[in-house]
Amino acid sequence: MSCTLCPRNCQIDRTAANGFCGCSSVPKIARAALHFDEEPCISGTRGSGTIFFSGCNLKCVFCQNMAIQDGTLGEPVSVDKLSATMLRLQAMGAHNINLVTPTPHRDAIRSALLSAKKNGLTIPVLYNTGSYESVDTIRSFESLIDLYLPDLKYRDDRLARRFSRAEGYFPVAMDAIAEMIRQVGFMRLDENGIAVRGVRIRHLVLPGCVFDTRAVLDAVAERFGTDCPLSLMSQYTPNPACKEPALSRRLTQREYDSAVEYCLSLGFSDVLTQGLDSVGSSFTPPFSDRIDLS
Ligand code: SF4
């Protein structure tokens, strides 16, 4: 099959070679565990049942999951094992199943979800993505995904090219997010403050790039309105492997405050913010070649 699952349009047969994302036709899981470092409405008190897939169709130079970006690390899994992993995370008490970088494994994930739901998976399923997505791929998940957390990274194409090798990022990301909102609306919480359905757009404020954060917020307000739930993240952590001088420092309090102030001045009504003290290694979980869910 010629892979056109994302805007890279590699058109290669992944049973024979890996794509730009580093993925073959068999999904690899680099970590499956309860994760407590997502937004409070996602991690809750019992944790988010997070499945980190190995490989990614973005190549962000500052990636906090750099160890799994190229698709090398991780345990190859069958559809049955993937489905069993979801059910095991639910049995461990997870508030949701959190699929991180799922796009290259659409067909296996769809089959695993159908099987898991048939066998008792009832908690919400979350699609956690860098938003470099094709509308057709997102549409194919309709009725299987309850929650979307698209990270809208850049408005400026120069940044998208330079930092993520993703030419033309912004328009495709916005169209993909529009399709997510069409499917499930804006994020709603239950009586305990846990997300049950809908979209929340994430945006990581990068050092020296508050101008682009403002442009992202302007565009979201214009297209989706200021009721659109946001998560404005401050957790940028310089990666020693990153060779970009502009990204060699943390975000300053002044930069983050300026981004939050601008966001609120536009009238956004549901904005999750972070303290700068949330920066740290806890956002980079340990990855491995084996899934250990004992
Ligand atoms: S999912 Fe991977 S192989 Fe397929 S088009 Fe995207 S980057 Fe290329």
Side-chain angles (χ1 to χ4, degrees), residues 14 66 76 83 88 127 185 263:
R14 284 175 34 210
M66 191 64 90
S83 174
R88 178 78 181 114
Y127 196 98
C263 182

Side-chain angles (χ1 to χ4, degrees), residues 4 9 32 37 41 50 56 59 94 110 123 146 149 155 160 165-166 172 179 203 226 229 254 264:
T4 57
N9 263 316
D37 292 316
C41 60
T50 307
C56 186
K59 294 291 175 249
R110 289 181 77 250
I123 56 177
D146 305 285
L149 273 182
R155 172 70 185 84
R165 293 170 63 191
V172 297
E179 169 58 20
H203 174 73
T226 52
R254 191 174 173 153
L264 297 178

Side-chain angles (χ1 to χ4, degrees), residues 3 5 14 21-29 51-56 71 77 79 82 86 99-113 127 137 141:
C3 187
L5 284 174
R14 284 175 34 210
C21 51
C23 300
S24 73
S25 57
V26 179
K28 270 187 194 169
I29 297 178
I51 299 176
F52 288 91
F53 291 96
S54 188
C56 186
V77 290
V79 166
L82 182 52
M86 295 172 181
L99 305 168
V100 182
T101 325
T103 313
H105 309 296
R106 179 193 65 180
D107 295 345
I109 290 171
R110 289 181 77 250
S111 300
L113 279 171
Y127 196 98
T137 295
F141 279 103

Side-chain angles (χ1 to χ4, degrees), residues 99-172:
L99 305 168
V100 182
T101 325
T103 313
H105 309 296
R106 179 193 65 180
D107 295 345
I109 290 171
R110 289 181 77 250
S111 300
L113 279 171
L114 287 168
S115 166
K117 284 174 187 266
K118 208 166 126 194
N119 288 298
L121 185 76
T122 55
I123 56 177
V125 179
L126 189 166
Y127 196 98
N128 193 334
T129 170
S131 304
Y132 200 48
E133 300 281 359
S134 88
V135 170
D136 284 348
T137 295
I138 297 301
R139 192 176 289 132
S140 71
F141 279 103
E142 183 159 16
S143 82
L144 288 174
I145 299 295
D146 305 285
L147 294 160
Y148 287 97
L149 273 182
D151 181 3
L152 184 55
K153 293 174 180 291
Y154 319 102
R155 172 70 185 84
D156 187 329
D157 202 51
R158 290 167 303 177
L159 296 183
R161 277 185 273 129
R162 183 170 154 196
F163 294 158
S164 296
R165 293 170 63 191
E167 190 166 356
Y169 171 86
F170 181 74
V172 297

